Amino acid sequence: GEKMSKVKGNVLNPIQTIEQYGTDALRFALTTGTAPGNDLRLSPAKLEASRNFANKLWNAARFVIRSIEPGLEDLELQRDSLPVEDRWILSRLNRTISAVTGLMDSYQFGEAQRQVHDFLWGEFCDWYIEMAKIRLGSSDKKAPSPVPVLVHVLEAALRLLHPFMPFITEELWQNLKRSLSADWDESIMIAPYPQSEESAFDSEADSVMEALIDIIRSIRNARAEYKVQSNLWVEAQIYAEKPAPAVVASSRIIETLARARPLTFLESHPVHKPDDNLLALVLKNAEVFIPLESMVDREAERKRLSGEVERCVTQIEQLEARLKDESFLSKAPAAVVEKERNKLATAMDTLERLRQQLAKFQDRED
């Protein structure tokens, strides 16, 4: 939060910064989260985040280029037969182009850059490319290839990002051009800026993919919470009323990305008893039920939770004894006493949550 000054010694040397992080990373960091008239806080963490984004983009482009078969010429999008994930990423691309164009026209460069970043990292790289890998590795020859969509989205996104990161986008665009032997412009600098196609807006695909991503994310979060090993599969039951047909058609995506098998889709809302030992996850457009037995070894998890409960009880007893000690209360600074009270409140809250988790693993009554 301090102004750069040679006297203070907090100046970032631009040449050294470029050598360490890259030119585009420095440009990106300088224009991220900025607004006219406001100061910019430039830190190593911000530079590292920009460099990580450049690396992410490089790896994504390398994957797309490696997926292109030699001699591939037919890159026309067959929009009538595209799977829902293809229609979704095309819809999101064009919505992003529309939003970014409006922001650029109103000189909101920082927000425009953020939206391009979020689309490329969060939607294209983290979700669509992972879904495309499933189809690329499939033995089903009838399934449409995701390569034309991958190329189309990457090429348009590079042109969209070019004003902010000119060097890496030029390099990747030229590599993409050579791999396709495409008759494009000589440079991305003179290629036309992308225009939004409103015909590609697909609210239905957006809704389906929102539900699909919520389901996958909820199962992943449950796996992380219960510390399920990455190589283990968990059982899952899904009830999705509105987008059910499209979600069912994408079951393989859920299975692969959430590592959930067997995966069951329920036709009606289930009625479960408290002793069914199911983890129920209520989402916006669906509900997910995961049998606890499929995620953990019940006996091992019960022992682990019991040990944590014992340690938490011991900590609470020690804190309570300290806070009842008149000598400690009279000699310790008020800030220290308040800190110990906060520790006690946190420990008691943790104990309550541990006991709730432990109750799920108690033996069922006969």
Side-chain angles (χ1 to χ4, degrees), residues 22-38:
T23 306
D24 279 332
L26 176 58
R27 288 173 58 102
F28 200 83
L30 288 171
T31 50
T32 298
T34 59
N38 290 341

Side-chain angles (χ1 to χ4, degrees), residues 83-276:
V84 65
E85 62 268 25
D86 288 2
R87 293 188 287 115
W88 168 73
I89 198 64
L90 291 171
S91 175
R92 292 299 308 134
L93 169 67
N94 284 278
R95 291 184 190 275
T96 302
I97 292 173
S98 177
V100 169
T101 301
L103 291 167
M104 295 282 278
D105 289 342
S106 59
Y107 304 100
Q108 298 183 55
F109 304 124
E111 177 61 17
Q113 182 175 276
R114 184 192 67 80
Q115 293 209 17
V116 178
H117 170 278
D118 291 352
F119 168 75
L120 277 168
W121 188 308
E123 295 173 326
F124 182 62
C125 293
D126 283 355
W127 288 108
Y128 182 71
I129 285 183
E130 294 306 310
M131 295 176 184
K133 288 178 181 178
I134 299 173
R135 280 157 56 195
L136 287 171
S138 173
S139 58
D140 184 6
K141 302 301 181 183
K142 296 181 180 180
S145 172
V147 172
V149 177
L150 284 166
V151 171
H152 175 84
V153 174
L154 176 62
E155 192 275 334
L158 288 174
R159 286 186 283 129
L160 191 65
L161 181 63
H162 181 67
F164 303 104
M165 305 182 80
F167 299 103
I168 190 174
T169 51
E170 177 73 71
E171 179 70 17
L172 295 177
W173 194 81
Q174 294 291 349
N175 287 338
L176 188 61
K177 175 183 176 181
R178 285 192 295 270
S179 65
L180 294 169
S181 300
D183 186 21
W184 295 349
D185 291 306
E186 184 179 351
S187 168
I188 193 175
M189 289 188 292
I190 57 176
Y193 194 73
Q195 301 294 318
S196 175
E197 300 177 24
E198 293 189 6
S199 60
F201 293 180
D202 195 326
S203 299
E204 180 185 358
D206 293 344
S207 176
V208 171
M209 286 302 301
E210 180 185 7
L212 202 65
I213 290 172
D214 277 351
I215 291 170
I216 296 170
R217 187 179 284 126
S218 68
I219 297 175
R220 284 177 171 178
N221 290 342
R223 292 175 62 100
E225 180 182 353
Y226 286 89
K227 299 178 176 60
V228 180
Q229 297 180 12
S230 59
N231 62 332
L232 297 180
W233 296 77
V234 301
E235 181 182 350
Q237 302 169 5
I238 298 173
Y239 171 70
E241 182 178 1
K242 187 176 180 181
V247 171
V248 172
S250 304
S251 60
R252 189 177 178 191
I253 293 176
I254 300 175
E255 286 184 352
T256 305
L257 298 186
R259 296 196 68 77
R261 187 182 296 162
L263 188 65
T264 307
F265 290 91
L266 307 174
E267 295 183 358
S268 59
H269 194 282
V271 178
H272 291 117
K273 300 178 182 178
D275 61 351
D276 284 344

